[in-house]
Amino acid sequence: MTFNYSAGELTVRGHKIKDIAAEFGTPVIIYDETYMTGMMQKYHGVLKRHNIPYSVSYASKAFSSVQMIKLLEEQNMELDVVSVGELYTALAAGYPVRNIHFHGNNKTPEEIEYALAHGVRFFIIDGLDEIELINTLASRLVEDDLVSVLIRINPSVEVNTHDYIATGQEDSKFGLSLSNGAAKTAIDTISNCSKLEFKGIHYHLGSQLDDSTPFINAITNVYAWLDEHDIDIEILNMGGGYGVRYTDDDVRFPIEEGFDAIIGHLKNVVAASRGGRGQDDGRDDGREMPHIMIEPGRSIAAESAITVYEVGTVKDLPGVARYVSVDGGMSDHIRTPLYGAEYEIIPVAEDDGDSGVSTHVVGKLCESGDIIGKDKNLPAELSRGDLIAVRTTGAYHYSMASNYNQMRKPAVVFVSESGVREVIRRQTLEQLIENDVR
Ligand code: LLP
């Protein structure tokens, strides 16, 4: 585990959390940079050992910032963006535009124009009307180049996750259906577009998946469909969604065995597939292994960070509950109010174990639903000024933060063996009204 107690103090890579909190204030999101690079290397390692063409494309929606993007570039990671804002962040970090993939179920004409003008040459098509739009804009903005496109499809596989983060099913705002003909129509339309080059298939089955079964089923369904329509692909992008451990009840996606199983299955399916070509045309040239792309977000960032809060009001309701309020809340921790997500919450100064005192940790925003965790086992003597840490807040926390109640977005710090550095400063009061007309 990356954040450990040492001599009674929570630490990361030899640095005391309480010292980091004192320097940068609270709430603060503290990342173990070394853990993150380790995760990036783990994905590279497992795919490399299968001897296949591949790329690992980080889903920047999980957590994006200039320093994060620089780290991704150093680690040979490609990048997914879903908005002009994510693209802008990547470009501001000097990230090579050729490795950026533009996603989204409603890319606006302005976004497509901006992306093309800045050199993005890789789009994931999510709807039929977008094909013509990208082609037309590319005809105007792109001279000697073609724009590579994948189509996002729904492979219709069951996944076991929260409804809000399941995406690969038929009834979804994302992707093109295989069964109703939309995906095939998309490919036919692309083949008539002078500026677009069809490269392959993308799907994202959902998030926080804990085993390889849905990925395996998706490969089976997709190749059956490719065979049926005699479609060749160069790239197969299986999306992200590899689960992490928020609490003891969660099972991490087993990256090594999981990909061994997925890639093993893919190799078999590819070898057995004839691309739908009948024997009568004299061809029996099976398919080649596609270039594999995966798009992990959460599994790289989530477990690498904690959020540290300072305790304020402690309200004891004898026989009912103890409420501990902290100096942040749903403005930086929306996943519990939104999905009922559970987290592990621990004191920054080590406690002797089970205090037997059940505590509701709540934020300071004006909503009863502003809950960080219910029935947590925290020290009996917790009081104003103490620090507590919420584990596994590296993904979909800062990126989903809001200014509700005019809360300022927290500071973000990266820690490695070589030191502690602030990568995002806490928002200032002035920034809260910088766009206000006065
Ligand atoms: N690729 C695509 C096309 C995606 O839509 C997503 C996530 C990913 C990759 C990365 O998935 P990951 O590896 O991070 O699970 N706000 C929700 C998560 C929404 C995820 C949406 N798409 C949450 O906090 O759980």
Side-chain angles (χ1 to χ4, degrees):
M1 181 74 77
T2 147
F3 295 86
N4 296 308
Y5 291 108
S6 164
E9 290 290 340
L10 192 62
T11 63
V12 57
R13 304 281 161 198
H15 301 276
K16 287 185 184 164
I17 296 300
K18 80 165 184 214
D19 293 345
I20 298 172
E23 184 173 354
F24 300 102
T26 54
V28 58
I29 304 179
I30 302 173
Y31 280 83
D32 178 350
E33 189 176 345
T34 310
Y35 180 94
M36 270 199 293
T37 52
M39 288 305 295
M40 297 174 201
Q41 286 161 7
K42 189 168 186 166
Y43 278 109
H44 279 302
V46 69
L47 291 171
K48 228 172 233 154
R49 85 172 176 232
H50 287 283
N51 236 338
I52 48 167
Y54 79 91
S55 40
V56 188
S57 184
Y58 173 75
S60 56
K61 72 195 82 173
F63 169 65
S64 156
S65 76
V66 168
Q67 293 302 326
M68 178 67 181
I69 304 272
K70 289 187 173 182
L71 191 64
L72 291 160
E73 185 185 353
E74 275 167 30
Q75 296 298 322
N76 253 325
M77 301 281 287
E78 299 194 0
L79 199 66
D80 289 358
V81 300
V82 296
S83 71
V84 73
E86 287 183 357
L87 173 59
Y88 178 80
T89 308
L91 296 174
Y95 186 86
V97 68
R98 287 284 174 165
N99 293 338
I100 297 178
H101 315 137
F102 206 115
H103 282 264
N105 68 303
N106 181 24
K107 305 170 189 77
T108 66
E110 292 73 24
E111 286 181 312
I112 297 168
E113 227 174 302
Y114 184 95
L116 290 171
H118 285 83
V120 175
R121 295 290 178 264
F122 199 117
F123 285 78
I124 290 82
I125 301 282
D126 207 306
L128 290 174
D129 66 328
E130 167 180 306
I131 300 172
E132 200 45 55
L133 188 59
I134 299 176
N135 189 53
T136 307
L137 291 170
S139 309
R140 185 150 61 73
L141 294 163
V142 178
E143 270 181 24
D144 319 315
D145 237 350
L146 292 178
V147 176
S148 299
V149 295
L150 302 183
I151 60 161
R152 177 169 179 166
I153 55 121
N154 288 319
S156 300
V157 296
E158 293 284 316
V159 294
N160 175 23
T161 190
H162 193 290
D163 278 355
Y164 282 14
I165 53 177
T167 46
Q169 71 279 23
E170 188 69 23
D171 181 2
S172 166
K173 77 167 181 173
F174 298 107
L176 296 153
S177 164
L178 296 185
S179 55
N180 76 6
K184 178 69 170 67
T185 305
I187 296 175
D188 294 342
T189 312
I190 292 164
S191 68
N192 290 323
C193 286
S194 57
K195 296 302 281 181
L196 305 185
E197 188 173 24
F198 174 70
K199 290 282 187 183
I201 297 291
H202 169 275
Y203 46 84
H204 173 73
L205 304 177
S207 276
Q208 191 56 358
L209 307 181
D210 59 13
D211 83 330
S212 53
T213 310
F215 294 94
I216 287 176
N217 293 340
I219 288 170
T220 307
N221 293 359
V222 165
Y223 271 85
W225 181 82
L226 291 173
D227 278 357
E228 186 189 330
H229 296 282
D230 194 13
I231 295 164
D232 282 322
I233 58 169
E234 275 176 52
I235 298 175
L236 180 68
N237 186 329
M238 308 188 214
Y242 314 104
V244 303
R245 185 191 161 286
Y246 289 96
T247 70
D248 287 341
D249 292 336
D250 296 315
V251 178
R252 285 190 189 100
F253 181 88
I255 295 176
E256 311 220 330
E257 309 89 86
F259 277 100
D260 286 351
I262 294 168
I263 304 297
H265 180 68
L266 177 65
K267 283 183 173 168
N268 290 338
V269 168
V270 167
S273 166
R274 290 280 173 90
R277 296 180 182 112
Q279 305 299 321
D280 51 354
D281 65 1
R283 298 172 66 185
D284 64 351
D285 47 344
R287 294 176 181 277
E288 294 197 353
M289 266 300 271
H291 177 110
I292 295 305
M293 279 190 181
I294 57 167
E295 303 174 330
R298 183 189 324 259
S299 51
I300 285 171
E303 289 188 67
S304 65
I306 58 172
T307 304
V308 179
Y309 298 102
E310 186 177 294
V311 169
T313 299
V314 177
K315 190 182 285 181
D316 262 315
L317 302 173
V320 182
R322 178 174 71 151
Y323 281 89
V324 166
S325 297
V326 297
D327 54 355
M330 64 194 284
S331 46
D332 60 76
H333 183 107
I334 191 64
R335 295 191 74 260
T336 299
L338 192 57
Y339 313 119
E342 287 286 340
Y343 288 81
E344 200 181 314
I345 306 180
I346 55 174
V348 167
E350 192 171 15
D351 190 47
D352 314 334
D354 188 354
S355 71
V357 182
S358 168
T359 303
H360 301 332
V361 177
V362 295
K364 67 189 294 308
L365 289 91
C366 297
E367 298 263 349
S368 303
D370 177 23
I371 291 161
I372 295 178
K374 275 196 154 168
D375 299 317
K376 300 296 174 187
N377 179 14
L378 282 162
E381 61 283 2
L382 207 59
S383 61
R384 183 176 288 279
D386 288 343
L387 298 176
I388 59 173
V390 181
R391 284 194 189 273
T392 318
T393 59
Y396 305 109
H397 274 253
Y398 193 85
S399 62
M400 291 176 80
S402 76
N403 291 125
Y404 181 41
N405 283 185
Q406 290 290 65
M407 292 289 286
R408 287 167 286 166
K409 290 191 188 171
V412 180
V413 170
F414 277 9
V415 181
S416 66
E417 282 77 6
S418 56
V420 176
R421 59 195 180 113
E422 193 173 29
V423 296
I424 307 180
R425 288 190 279 272
R426 184 179 313 285
Q427 263 187 323
T428 63
L429 291 173
E430 178 57 26
Q431 283 168 344
L432 289 176
I433 55 163
E434 70 189 349
N435 294 332
D436 289 27
V437 177
R438 282 183 256 178

